[in-house]
């Protein structure tokens, strides 16, 4: 029996975030280049995006390239940027067809111009999609995002558009790149590492975490369903007691 049949369709996570990890180690274990892992990883993105949309998840955020990933060998960064550009180009017609809107969070200024232009094109061409929002975290890190938010608040205080008393959680949330999305209900990390790696640190405060050894290139629909099934077995207490939550 598939986990799909066990999922309660009335209690789906609204927003799933994924740290897709393990591409390079998986490829190496097969005696191939790391870039082969990244290529197969794109296939997983396609399958998991489809699974999320078919189920009725509203937001899917995937960590595609971190601020720290700029420190990888130049050739790997080049391969990843090239792959990203080609994947965006190839997938755009399908995203339009199935109503998936693409958005990007991250420091786009650091992207090579060709990649940035392709990304902007895909964002504008899919803007009418209402089935699901696919958010690509590209050249993204949580610390970068928080620093940008602090700068923007400081600027407004300096220009008397805000007072220190105006600063609260909602205001900070509204200065983050994720201001238009609900916080992730579920975070999935593939590839066996048990860490957050500078991803959505503010937004994940109350997310349920799901870690799996499965490398991203072989993480496909069935394990996505398994993660959602696991999510549905959790009790989210937000600091309260179990009795409070159940009443
Ligand atoms: C995730 O896989 C993809 C990116 C970070 C771009 P990795 O490339 O980190 O693969 P491993 O973790 O080294 O196996
Ligand atoms: C996190 O994976 C970044 C992405 C998935 C894009 P990394 O492979 O870069 O993370 P670390 O280095 O293992 O923490
Ligand atoms: Mg990794």
């Amino acid at each position: 029996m598939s986990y799909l049949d066990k999922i309660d369709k009335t209690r789906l996570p609204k927003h799933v975030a994924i740290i897709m990890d393990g591409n390079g180690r998986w490829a190496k274990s097969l005696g191939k280049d790391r870039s082969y892992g990244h290529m197969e990883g794109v296939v997983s993105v396609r399958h998991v995006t489809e699974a999320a949309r078919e189920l009725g998840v509203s937001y899917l955020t995937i960590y595609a390239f971190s601020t720290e990933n700029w420190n990888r060998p130049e050739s790997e960064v080049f391969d990843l940027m090239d792959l990203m550009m080609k994947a965006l180009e190839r997938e755009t017609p399908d995203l339009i067809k199935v109503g998936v809107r693409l958005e990007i969070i991250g420091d786009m200024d650091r992207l090579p111009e060709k990649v940035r232009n392709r990304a902007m094109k895909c964002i504008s061409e899919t803007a009418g999609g209402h089935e699901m929002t696919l958010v690509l975290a590209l050249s993204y890190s949580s610390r970068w995002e928080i620093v940008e938010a602090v700068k923007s608040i400081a600027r407004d205080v300096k220009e008397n558009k805000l007072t220190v008393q105006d600063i609260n959680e909602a205001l900070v949330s509204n200065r983050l790149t994720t201001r238009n999305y609900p916080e992730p209900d579920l975070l999935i990390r593939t590839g066996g590492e048990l860490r957050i790696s500078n991803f959505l640190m503010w937004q994940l405060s109350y997310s349920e975490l799901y870690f799996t050894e499965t490398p991203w290139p072989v993480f496909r629909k069935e394990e996505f369903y398994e993660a959602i099934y696991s999510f549905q077995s959790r009790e989210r207490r937000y600091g309260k007691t179990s009795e409070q939550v159940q009443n």
Side-chain angles (χ1 to χ4, degrees):
M1 185 165 147
S2 164
Y3 279 99
L4 179 57
D5 304 313
K6 300 187 189 175
I7 293 174
D8 176 351
K9 312 290 186 301
T10 67
R11 292 192 308 118
L12 290 170
K14 250 198 169 65
H15 185 176
V16 178
I18 304 182
I19 300 176
M20 26 181 209
D21 194 25
N23 297 358
R25 282 166 287 152
W26 174 79
K28 284 279 169 197
S29 77
L30 299 175
K32 310 214 181 205
D33 292 346
R34 293 177 54 84
S35 58
Y36 176 72
H38 297 316
M39 264 161 49
E40 285 302 302
V42 174
V43 183
S44 293
V45 172
R46 192 181 317 131
H47 284 264
V48 170
T49 301
E50 189 175 279
R53 179 185 54 78
E54 286 169 347
L55 260 181
V57 170
S58 305
Y59 299 88
L60 178 69
T61 297
I62 52 183
Y63 204 6
F65 194 87
S66 72
T67 302
E68 288 72 24
N69 290 150
W70 288 115
N71 300 323
R72 290 195 177 190
E74 208 178 311
S75 62
E76 179 163 344
V77 171
F78 181 87
D79 284 351
L80 280 166
M81 289 298 141
D82 192 52
L83 187 65
M84 208 83 72
M85 203 170 63
K86 289 180 177 150
L88 285 169
E89 181 164 17
R90 197 177 51 232
E91 300 299 329
T92 301
D94 267 3
L95 293 177
I96 295 169
K97 197 157 73 194
V98 298
V100 173
R101 167 210 292 260
L102 181 100
E103 298 195 351
I104 291 186
I105 56 172
D107 188 357
M108 300 267 284
D109 292 345
R110 288 187 74 175
L111 296 175
E113 200 183 344
K114 271 165 76 176
V115 179
R116 190 170 50 242
N117 289 344
R118 170 50 61 190
M120 299 305 284
K121 198 156 184 267
C122 185
I123 291 168
S124 73
E125 287 177 359
T126 61
H130 292 298
E131 291 300 311
M132 187 176 82
T133 302
L134 173 63
V135 183
L136 215 54
L138 199 52
S139 187
Y140 171 89
S141 75
S142 214
R143 289 181 182 175
W144 162 79
E145 171 180 57
I146 289 169
V147 168
E148 291 303 308
V150 170
K151 282 188 202 162
S152 101
I153 293 169
R155 232 178 273 124
D156 283 358
V157 172
K158 189 168 168 227
E159 292 168 12
N160 294 318
K161 291 180 186 156
L162 274 182
T163 68
V164 170
Q165 281 67 38
D166 292 331
I167 302 172
N168 55 27
E169 287 191 14
L171 185 127
V172 174
S173 290
N174 267 315
R175 300 290 167 125
L176 300 177
T177 60
T178 50
R179 65 185 72 84
N180 295 325
Y181 321 130
E183 285 169 5
D185 301 292
L186 169 66
L187 170 78
I188 298 171
R189 181 171 188 146
T190 66
E193 305 298 358
L194 306 178
R195 54 178 171 254
I196 298 297
S197 302
N198 216 349
F199 189 44
L200 302 176
M201 292 186 302
W202 170 282
Q203 299 87 336
L204 293 174
S205 296
Y206 270 105
S207 305
E208 297 300 323
L209 310 181
Y210 179 91
F211 293 99
T212 172
E213 289 288 327
T214 307
W216 178 250
V218 287
F219 185 95
R220 296 287 161 89
K221 286 186 173 187
E222 187 57 23
E223 197 166 349
F224 182 73
Y225 300 143
E226 187 177 350
I228 289 184
Y229 182 69
S230 161
F231 163 81
Q232 292 187 332
S233 71
R234 321 275 183 92
E235 182 177 67
R236 305 183 77 187
R237 288 190 289 276
Y238 298 97
K240 295 185 179 175
T241 68
S242 191
E243 289 72 18
Q244 284 179 298
V245 172
Q246 281 165 25
N247 288 329

